[in-house]
Amino acid sequence: MEHHVSFLFHPVNALISLVLGAPPQWWQKAMGVAGEEGIWLPDHVVMALLVVATIGALLGVVRRRLSLEKPSTLQQILEVLVAGLRNMCNDVIGHHAGARFVPFIAALTFFIFISNFFGLIFFLQPPTANTSTTFALSITAFLFYNIVAVGHHGVIGWLKHFAGPVWWLAPLMLPVEIISHLARVLSLALRLFGNIFGEHTASGIFFAMVPFVIPWAMMGLGVVGTTIQTFIFIMLTSVYISEAVAEEH
């Protein structure tokens, strides 16, 4: 299948090359674009940067127009979204601990949803259809909840969780728990990648076959899929955080 890139891929790389010159080989190897002349950044990185810029612009507009008397439609939508995330965190993590994790969960929500939504726009590419992006997200979630657990229980207290409820089960429980936690990185990354890549690929195929009818139905399903995959990722992350701060550990 022909490899498609976003409309920003070549202009962004051309601009960087104009400013910095030709990319060194070690950089291209690190970015996974070795042998591609004049390419500084792969397309999923360009799209991820666009997602960050979009979120920054969106929040900047809302911040400048904040109003208690006459809130804009965008402000009301964001308020409902943040309130929903706060309620979810309180329900899953706990009323005494959930609120402080809302910023992290909200950041994941905005980034993943907009990244997924890019797959519904024909001249863009979803960053989450690349395993580099999804593994970066899953590793970030993994590191975050483990850092939270160490901060809450201490290193020894968190390690006791891996040893199981009784000491004589530790040789069995320790490798099982370690594998279980590492598998979370794999499951979060591959689930998100597989669904978004599949939806984006299927939409592209149907658009090529029937340009004006079926793609609209696929886009409707894509919006639903985009929302569901975002929710699954943040819900599982919230569950992992709740385990990290649970007192019974």
Side-chain angles (χ1 to χ4, degrees):
M1 181 179 295
E2 182 184 355
H3 176 65
H4 297 282
V5 294
S6 69
F7 81 110
L8 287 176
F9 175 64
H10 293 294
V12 167
N13 279 285
L15 178 61
I16 298 175
S17 296
L18 182 64
V19 175
L20 301 179
Q25 291 184 354
W26 64 268
W27 174 268
Q28 285 196 310
K29 186 175 180 180
M31 290 290 102
V33 290
E36 298 186 35
E37 185 177 355
I39 302 302
W40 278 87
L41 299 175
D43 196 39
H44 69 272
V45 174
V46 174
M47 288 293 96
L49 292 174
L50 180 60
V51 171
V52 173
T54 301
I55 294 172
L58 180 68
L59 297 182
V61 169
V62 174
R63 184 176 182 275
R64 286 195 299 270
R65 299 181 180 178
L66 283 178
S67 173
L68 294 177
E69 292 79 17
K70 295 181 179 181
S72 64
T73 302
L74 182 58
Q75 179 182 334
Q76 294 180 56
I77 292 173
L78 291 178
E79 286 177 352
V80 171
L81 175 60
V82 172
L85 292 175
R86 184 184 296 112
N87 291 335
M88 185 196 74
C89 289
N90 286 334
D91 290 340
V92 176
I93 302 173
H95 289 283
H96 299 292
R100 67 190 181 102
F101 299 111
V102 172
F104 178 73
I105 297 299
L108 287 178
T109 302
F110 279 106
F111 184 87
I112 295 173
F113 180 82
I114 294 178
S115 295
N116 295 349
F117 189 79
F118 276 8
L120 304 178
I121 304 173
F122 72 94
F123 53 83
L124 299 177
Q125 296 290 321
T128 43
N130 187 287
T131 52
S132 296
T133 304
T134 57
F135 270 101
L137 291 167
S138 65
I139 291 171
T140 299
F142 174 81
L143 292 176
F144 182 83
Y145 83 77
N146 277 284
I147 291 171
V148 167
V150 170
H152 189 78
H153 299 285
V155 176
I156 301 301
W158 183 233
L159 289 177
K160 286 181 179 179
H161 161 73
F162 292 88
V166 290
W167 67 268
W168 49 270
L169 279 176
L172 174 64
M173 294 299 297
L174 187 61
V176 171
E177 286 290 335
I178 291 175
I179 293 172
S180 173
H181 280 261
L182 292 177
R184 293 175 177 181
V185 176
L186 190 66
S187 64
L188 283 175
L190 293 185
R191 182 187 296 107
L192 182 59
F193 161 75
N195 282 279
I196 300 306
F197 179 81
E199 290 175 3
H200 183 63
T201 302
S203 297
I205 292 173
F206 281 119
F207 186 82
M209 294 172 57
V210 189
F212 300 108
V213 182
I214 296 180
W216 290 105
M218 292 296 298
M219 287 183 68
L221 293 175
V223 172
V224 175
T226 290
T227 305
I228 291 174
Q229 292 308 314
T230 303
F231 179 76
I232 290 174
F233 195 101
I234 62 172
M235 174 60 76
L236 289 175
T237 301
S238 299
V239 170
Y240 299 153
I241 294 173
S242 71
E243 295 176 356
V245 299
E247 293 298 335
E248 57 266 26
H249 291 166

